[in-house]
Amino acid sequence: MNNTRSVQALFKPFAIGNMTLSNRIVMAPMTRQFSPDGVPSLDMASYYRRRAENGVGLIVTEGTVINHPDSSSQDNVPHIYGEAALEGWANIVAAVHEAGGRIIPQIWHMGTRGNVGDYSESEIVAIIQAFAQAAVEAKRLGFDGIELHGAHGYLIDQFFWEKTNPRTDRFGGDMVARTRFAVEVIEACRRAVGRDFPIVLRFSQWKGDDYTAKLAETPVLLEQFLGPLVDAGVDMFHCSTRRFWEPEFEGSDLNLAGWTKKLTGKPTITVGSVGLDGEFMSLLTEGKGAGNTKIDGLIERLEREEFDLVAVGRALLADPAWAKKIRDGRTDELIPITAEALKTLH
């Protein structure tokens, strides 16, 4: 179909480390709480396999928590430790690979309810080791890389912020000094998995209670913040924003993923309200409607290599075949994103 030409940038291969993707579409990590006692079910293997066999280039799993007492406040989020949970993940990895897909776990510590000053240095070291052990298990199970969750007010992000990190030791201080915990997590994971196993870091400026928050108010400060993380061994940044089309700083159209790639030279994943509904996505192939600038902007930015991959969340929850339908120009067949559609999670 002629109208598929406009989306070809989404369907070019991409390689990072020892991982090669068939296209630029990423399934964003989305917590669903379908893992009783932290154990991924057989249904989860089918859930992820369906997205892989329908053309998603890379799946980032829902957040999967490390082996630390504070790592989760929810009973039904998956673990990445313990024999039963690891066996469940092994089944999921096998199912995705059999369908021709690639998959990485999002490794997660949900954080402390107070501030990170409550942790002793010995406990911080133990948490770092737990992240590294999760990375070891991910590689052993056959995952294609890992993503560290450093966004949205969770533990790694709590160390980044002055309000939640009052520490005066090596894990606290100014904005650059407050990257120290993340740096040591990244370094420990890198030692655990080797040079070519991709490490992705997800980070955000916004917080759950403040969508306008900025950790780095200017590009200069963002560069200072990202530098230690690059040096520690991050291969790619997953730049969490609520709307991909919004500029990160005044005076430039670049979004957070665009600025991060420009400042670091590292590949980036953009994310934020891609594929909100069938009408929205039809603009990709039909080139019409009031929202045309936003959609064309996504493709144009990808073609200009402002970022490298595009993460899609709710649209892929509602419709496992979203990527294939977009590729084939079948936007009229997209399953609308309704509360009922999201409940089925087929």
Side-chain angles (χ1 to χ4, degrees):
M1 299 175 67
N2 290 335
N3 61 4
T4 62
R5 289 186 60 187
S6 64
V7 299
Q8 285 308 301
L10 283 170
F11 294 93
K12 294 180 179 179
F14 178 78
I16 182 168
N18 57 10
M19 178 174 68
T20 300
L21 309 179
S22 62
N23 62 56
R24 307 302 179 96
I25 297 174
V26 177
M27 183 175 184
M30 290 170 284
T31 296
R32 303 181 306 135
Q33 300 191 54
F34 283 2
S35 300
D37 299 318
V39 178
S41 67
L42 289 176
D43 287 344
M44 281 176 61
S46 299
Y47 161 80
Y48 284 119
R49 180 187 179 108
R50 274 190 285 276
R51 276 75 188 170
E53 64 191 8
N54 278 289
V56 171
L58 174 64
I59 292 169
V60 183
T61 74
E62 56 213 280
T64 179
V65 295
I66 63 171
N67 188 9
H68 181 260
D70 288 344
S71 65
S72 175
S73 60
Q74 301 169 355
D75 292 336
N76 295 323
V77 299
H79 299 167
I80 193 161
Y81 65 90
E83 184 177 351
L86 295 175
E87 182 178 347
W89 283 120
N91 292 334
I92 291 168
V93 171
V96 169
H97 285 169
E98 285 169 5
R102 297 290 178 264
I103 183 169
I104 65 177
Q106 185 185 72
I107 299 177
W108 194 22
H109 187 302
M110 295 174 69
T112 175
R113 294 187 180 184
N115 62 63
V116 298
D118 298 333
Y119 288 136
S120 67
E121 185 163 341
S122 62
E123 187 167 18
I124 291 174
V125 171
I127 294 171
I128 292 169
Q129 292 171 344
F131 271 103
Q133 185 58 41
V136 167
E137 298 292 6
K139 186 173 183 180
R140 181 181 67 82
L141 294 172
F143 279 106
D144 299 290
I146 60 171
E147 175 170 291
L148 299 171
H149 198 340
H152 308 164
Y154 298 119
L155 185 65
I156 292 176
D157 195 35
Q158 288 178 329
F159 274 89
F160 289 152
W161 282 80
E162 184 177 14
K163 290 182 179 179
T164 50
N165 184 356
R167 300 184 71 93
T168 57
D169 60 5
R170 64 193 177 97
F171 294 107
D174 63 18
M175 182 185 67
V176 173
R178 294 194 303 271
T179 67
R180 187 69 225 166
F181 174 71
V183 163
E184 294 200 12
V185 169
I186 297 159
E187 289 175 341
C189 290
R190 176 59 69 205
R191 288 192 297 269
V193 300
R195 178 184 298 179
D196 296 328
F197 195 72
I199 296 178
V200 181
L201 178 69
R202 193 177 212 208
F203 80 102
S204 66
Q205 296 261 49
W206 63 271
K207 298 291 163 285
D209 59 353
D210 185 358
Y211 292 134
T212 65
K214 285 192 185 297
L215 179 61
E217 294 280 356
T218 67
V220 171
L221 290 174
L222 183 61
E223 185 173 26
Q224 292 174 5
F225 168 74
L226 294 170
L229 306 173
V230 171
D231 292 342
V234 172
D235 294 303
M236 181 159 59
F237 288 95
H238 189 171
C239 306
S240 181
T241 56
R242 298 182 68 227
R243 300 177 181 93
F244 73 84
W245 60 84
E246 292 184 343
E248 190 59 32
F249 303 112
E250 290 185 8
S252 168
D253 289 336
L254 291 177
N255 66 8
L256 184 60
W259 271 111
T260 298
K261 182 172 183 178
K262 179 178 179 178
L263 295 171
T264 67
K266 292 291 183 179
T268 58
I269 305 170
T270 197
V271 68
S273 300
V274 176
L276 286 178
D277 55 42
E279 180 182 359
F280 187 81
M281 288 317 303
S282 72
L283 302 176
L284 272 170
T285 54
E286 295 175 11
K288 64 182 182 181
N292 187 44
T293 300
K294 293 176 184 176
I295 293 302
D296 283 351
L298 176 68
I299 301 300
E300 290 169 4
R301 291 178 187 200
L302 188 60
E303 289 174 339
R304 291 197 299 263
E305 300 184 349
E306 289 182 13
F307 42 75
D308 301 274
L309 303 174
V310 175
V312 182
R314 287 166 291 179
L316 273 170
L317 277 184
D319 192 341
W322 184 91
K324 183 178 288 187
K325 291 174 182 178
I326 293 298
R327 183 196 66 194
D328 296 342
R330 294 155 47 207
T331 54
D332 58 330
E333 298 178 25
L334 289 171
I335 298 174
I337 301 172
T338 63
E340 191 60 33
L342 294 181
K343 282 179 184 177
T344 60
L345 298 179
H346 47 283

